[in-house]
Structure formats: C-alpha cells, structure tokens
Amino acid sequence: MSELVEGAARQEASAAAAPTRGVIFLSHATPEENTFAAWLAAQLVSAGYEVWCDLTKLLGGERFWRDIEDAIRNHTFRVLFVSTLLTHTKPGARRELDLAFKAQAELGLTDFIIPIKLDQFPFSAMDERLRDLNIMRFDEGWPEAFSKLLKLLEREGAPKSPRATPACVTEWYRRSIDQTRRVQTAEENVYSNWFRVRLPKAIMLHDLGVGAKRMEGVVAGFPWPHRILGEWLVTFAPAHEVNQTLGPVIRVARTHEVRTEDLIADGDATLGIAAGDASNIVTELLGKAWNDTLQSRGLERFEMANGELAWFFKNGQLDKNRAHFTSPSTRKATYRQLVGAKSKRTPDGQKVSDGFWHYAISGIPQLHPFPRLVLRHHVIFSDDGAMPWQSAERMHKARRSVCKQWWNAAWRDRLFAIAANLGGDAATLTLPVSEDERFEVRMQGMSFTAPRRFFEDNECGLNENAEIELIEDEDEPEDDDVGSP
C-alpha cells in the first residue's frame, strides 16, 4: 500500500514539475517582418494570450526559460511561423522551424505549427513541410485572418494568462517607443493615392443582331473598351462608331442607352442588370481605358501576381529619367527620378552592374462612394531598361533588399511626379472610350486634413539631388535572430 502511495506522490510531483504549455511562439524573419510581428504579438496579447517574439520578448507572462529551444520544446502551445518568400532564406527563422518540427515529432504533439502566409508568393516556394498544414492566409487581409486565428486558438484550447491584457501591450509600447517618433496633436495635410474620375455621361448597350454565341468573334477587333453581356455589346461608343468599325456586314440592330450614374446606382431593370453587376461593368471599362491609355503613351507593363498591370517608363524615355512636378507642401517646382541603375555588391565588395530599377504604378478603379482611381506603388527591375525580369523570386528579393531606405516621402513624391507627367499642363489624363467620349482623371491626388500628425525628427532617405543607384548585396548577411531571449 505504501508503494502505491509513494508512486502516486511521485506522479503528482512529476506532473507539478512538468512545464506548462501556455505560450504562443511567434517566429518571423528579422528585420523584414518586424512590423507585422509586432502587430500580431500585440493583438494576441490584447486577446489574452502569452506571446514570445524577438521584438517584444515575453508579453503577458514572465521570462522563465534558458533559450529558444527550451521555450519551444517545453513552454510553447503553438508555434506561429510567418512564411514569406524571404523567410526561408533566414537562418534564424529556419532554425526555429526545425526546432518546432523536432519537438513535434519527439513529443508526439499534434497541430503544433501554424503557418502564416504573409505575402503573395507561390505556394510551391513554401517549405514543403508546411504546405499540408492549416495555413492562415494573412496575405488576403490581416483583420480577417486574425479573426480566423483567434477562433482556431479558442477551438484548440490555447491557455490564456491574466497578465496578458491591453494594458500590458500599452506598457510595452511606452517603454519601447522611440521618443523622436511620436504622435502630436496638430493638423496635418495628408496626401492620398486617390485620383478623382469624371465619368462619361451615357453608356450604350448595342444589339448587333448576331446572337450571344457569335458575339465574341464579331467584336474581336473592336478598338474601344467594351464588355459582352449576352447578345449585347456594352460600350461608351455610339451606334455609328460601332457600325463604322464593324460594318458593313455587322450593323447595330438596336441600342439601349442609360445614364452612366443611373446604371451604377440602380442597374437596369429593362435588361435585368443588378446595381452590383452594373458597377462591375463600369469598373472593368475604366480599368481597360486606363491600361489602354498608358500603353498608348509608350509605358511598359508588368503583370503582378494578383493580375494587376504595373506601368513604368523605360530607361531614357524621360529626360535624365526624371519627372517634374510642383510640390504640394512647398509649392516649388522639383523633380524625382523614376528610372535608375541597379547594381550588385559581390561578397568580396566589388560592385557590378545588374540592370535598372523602374518606379511603377497600377490603377485600381473604384466607384463608391465616388468614382476614382487608386494608384499603387511598385518597383520593377529590368536587365535592359525595358523588359522586366521574369523571375518573381529574383524580383521580390531585389525589391526587399534595395528599397529599405524608401520612406513615405520617397514613394509619395514619385507618385506626384509620375502623375504630373501623365496629366501634363492640364493636370488631367483623358482615357478615351470612343471618338468623342472619355474618362477624365484629375492627376492631383486628393488630400485630407488629419487632427493628428506623426512627428519624426530623424527622417532620412534618398539623396534626390544625385542620381539614385540601388545596390543589392549579392549574398546579404542574414540576421541571426536566434539567441537567448
């Protein structure tokens, strides 16, 4: 009997000595994913979970382990592995992932690792051990993916800590913030990437009398932005232009004309077009007109992973590869370089030519609450000053490496510069949709007044007075983000 009592006591003592798995371990590439990692750690702690991240150390708990291997093996409930195209090249992140898989196998843990897909790289580039796991798609939107992550942690019974509170996050932020970068109570004029659009007055739906099955072949050579809707050709071009282009065999049998604004707001009951579908039609036509116009202006195109077309100037297309504009803040004429040389620095310190960089924009049409184009920034690389690199991995790696010093002002002013070049003296870019009709884009970004401003007295960036060359380290030293917390 005494042996049974002693055995039970030993089991109780062993259970008491066993480590508690209550920590969410956040593994990521340093420093490239620091912003996301800090955001996610703060959100998880505010939701009540203890989190370890190299930026915050342990939030919502106490430091109780000797090293990262001990933390993963003995104290971690789940490992969140932030996966990007760059992550798998970082030795620190790779080591943490290897430790997690080793602990999972040796300790018989299930669903121990949760991959977080942060950017839009191909799944084939992900570590093959992660591909069949339950991947959190943060590349499709942070708030939505975080909500799914919380539900997953709740379903799997992740322990919470009374020390993990929003107040804990606030205190960490107060201690870690750089006092030279802070929010001030003062009005600030904020410039956006929204550009207002004037719509054509009316949109035409033409019945060509050929039936829905023949429509695609019949209108294949139609030069203006259009959409096939059953047996109808949707365009801003009037009937006589359609006849002139497609005739003499094909003629418009009848035309249904609708005010563009009415179609967007209410759809069309006569043809059974819902308002949402009508908005999609006009949005598509605006996008086609934008891309057609930039192509006609001689800009080069690059198709992004999400299907957007990014447009850029070729080397030598602009005088000194610069575009001139009037700064909204100083009201003075200035310029920004939009194309430049790119080099690589080899491991022995030699600099070798590696083509060109190009500032690029893509246009996203939006109609609600008012018509506008949202212009997005990109940097494209080419070997010859015109043809973009074909390797998405090479493009991504170069962009992440050489644009580290492109702060907000560098991006904003290049947007001002390319917009001024496209708009010309009238500051308006016309996007023709027929011989007489057009979208008109006001090529001055909308601005807003904010009641707060973010002050930085240590801003640094590109030297705009000299020719800007971007230099990529061929074998950039990796940040060894593994060590004792």
Side-chain angles (χ1 to χ4, degrees):
M1 185 70 176
S2 62
E3 291 180 357
L4 292 176
V5 172
E6 289 177 2
R10 282 195 299 271
Q11 289 180 359
E12 290 180 3
S14 176
T20 301
R21 293 191 175 279
V23 172
I24 306 298
F25 190 98
L26 181 53
S27 177
H28 68 102
T30 299
E32 288 79 7
E33 309 305 342
N34 284 359
T35 299
F36 173 76
W39 176 85
L40 183 56
Q43 298 299 319
L44 287 168
V45 174
S46 296
Y49 297 104
E50 294 181 75
V51 177
W52 191 88
C53 171
D54 65 340
L55 301 173
T56 64
K57 303 310 179 188
L58 185 66
L59 271 182
E62 299 175 358
R63 289 178 61 181
F64 47 74
W65 55 70
R66 294 184 302 277
D67 55 33
I68 285 178
E69 184 171 4
D70 177 38
I72 292 176
R73 187 177 185 85
N74 298 315
H75 303 285
T76 295
F77 178 78
R78 290 291 183 271
V79 173
L80 304 183
F81 184 78
V82 181
S83 186
T84 67
L85 195 62
L86 180 69
T87 305
H88 306 291
T89 69
K90 308 288 279 190
R94 287 203 309 269
R95 178 173 181 263
E96 290 172 356
L97 184 61
D98 291 342
L99 289 172
F101 274 110
K102 180 180 178 182
Q104 177 177 261
E106 293 181 354
L107 302 177
L109 303 173
T110 58
D111 302 323
F112 186 54
I113 302 161
I114 302 175
I116 288 176
K117 188 173 186 292
L118 186 55
D119 58 12
Q120 296 181 345
F121 64 93
F123 278 94
S124 59
M126 180 178 284
D127 189 300
E128 62 181 9
R129 296 173 294 177
L130 300 174
R131 296 174 195 169
D132 294 330
L133 302 183
N134 187 9
I135 299 172
M136 295 287 105
R137 295 293 304 275
F138 277 78
D139 60 324
E140 296 180 342
W142 293 10
E144 297 84 357
F146 179 70
S147 177
K148 293 179 181 179
L149 177 60
L150 285 183
K151 291 178 182 177
L152 176 66
L153 294 175
E154 292 170 3
R155 186 168 64 247
E156 297 186 352
K160 292 191 174 184
S161 167
R163 294 182 293 271
T165 63
C168 171
V169 176
T170 301
E171 176 59 21
W172 163 76
Y173 180 76
R174 185 192 63 79
R175 288 185 283 103
S176 62
I177 190 172
D178 182 350
Q179 292 302 312
T180 63
R181 306 171 70 244
R182 58 189 181 276
V183 176
Q184 291 184 329
T185 303
E187 287 191 349
E188 181 177 18
N189 203 28
V190 180
Y191 301 97
S192 78
N193 61 337
W194 290 3
F195 294 77
R196 277 191 178 273
V197 174
R198 186 194 68 80
L199 304 174
K201 292 181 180 180
I203 191 167
M204 315 290 175
L205 293 92
H206 302 296
D207 178 3
L208 303 184
V210 298
K213 292 182 178 179
R214 292 183 57 200
M215 283 292 291
E216 187 171 346
V218 166
V219 304
F222 191 65
W224 303 113
H226 61 277
R227 166 89 171 267
I228 298 174
L229 191 63
E231 61 185 12
W232 296 90
L233 173 66
V234 185
T235 177
F236 293 101
H240 72 271
E241 289 188 28
V242 177
N243 290 334
Q244 182 181 1
T245 304
L246 301 180
V249 177
I250 303 300
R251 308 288 292 179
V252 174
R254 55 179 171 148
T255 296
H256 182 67
E257 181 176 333
V258 188
R259 288 185 71 248
T260 307
E261 292 181 355
D262 292 343
L263 184 70
I264 294 170
D266 306 318
D268 187 82
T270 304
L271 298 180
I273 303 174
D277 293 333
S279 292
N280 291 338
I281 291 171
V282 177
T283 296
E284 180 181 329
L285 297 182
L286 174 54
K288 288 181 177 179
W290 163 261
N291 289 324
D292 288 349
T293 300
L294 266 62
Q295 183 173 19
S296 70
R297 295 282 295 268
L299 276 73
E300 292 292 329
R301 57 183 275 177
F302 175 76
E303 185 171 350
M304 310 295 290
N306 61 2
E308 292 178 18
L309 294 182
W311 296 91
F312 59 92
F313 285 104
K314 299 185 286 287
N315 178 47
Q317 192 171 358
L318 299 173
D319 183 30
K320 297 182 179 179
N321 287 326
R322 295 170 174 173
H324 295 260
F325 69 104
T326 299
S327 170
S329 56
T330 64
R331 303 296 178 185
K332 295 181 179 179
T334 185
Y335 60 83
R336 287 295 179 266
Q337 188 175 337
L338 301 184
V339 183
K342 179 190 176 296
S343 300
K344 265 193 174 183
R345 184 176 285 112
T346 60
D348 61 1
Q350 298 297 314
K351 191 173 69 171
V352 296
S353 177
D354 191 40
F356 299 85
W357 64 267
H358 308 258
Y359 173 78
I361 55 172
S362 59
I364 311 301
Q366 296 179 355
L367 300 179
H368 303 286
F370 54 84
R372 63 187 181 274
L373 271 173
V374 179
L375 301 188
R376 295 178 177 172
H377 313 279
H378 308 279
V379 174
I380 306 300
F381 301 95
S382 71
D383 287 323
D384 61 358
M387 181 65 68
W389 291 347
Q390 296 303 303
S391 169
E393 182 175 356
R394 182 187 178 195
M395 186 88 73
H396 182 85
K397 182 176 181 295
R399 187 182 298 120
R400 298 298 296 269
S401 175
V402 303
C403 294
K404 292 178 180 179
Q405 296 304 314
W406 286 40
W407 308 110
N408 287 344
W411 295 103
R412 179 201 65 207
D413 289 352
R414 276 167 181 76
L415 181 60
F416 288 160
I418 199 170
N421 179 277
L422 293 173
D425 294 338
T428 300
L429 178 63
T430 60
L431 313 179
V433 289
S434 76
E435 290 182 1
D436 299 317
E437 279 293 356
R438 64 194 57 81
F439 290 102
E440 292 184 355
V441 186
R442 183 65 175 165
M443 297 306 291
Q444 292 179 340
M446 298 177 63
S447 62
F448 305 88
T449 301
R452 303 284 188 275
R453 68 184 297 266
F454 189 73
F455 174 75
E456 295 182 276
D457 67 358
N458 60 344
E459 278 193 353
C460 59
L462 303 173
N463 179 8
E464 303 289 356
N465 295 318
E467 185 173 348
I468 297 169
E469 178 185 15
L470 301 183
I471 303 175
E472 177 185 4
D473 289 331
E474 191 170 56
D475 290 307
E476 188 175 10
E478 301 289 354
D479 298 287
D480 188 2
D481 51 358
V482 178
S484 297

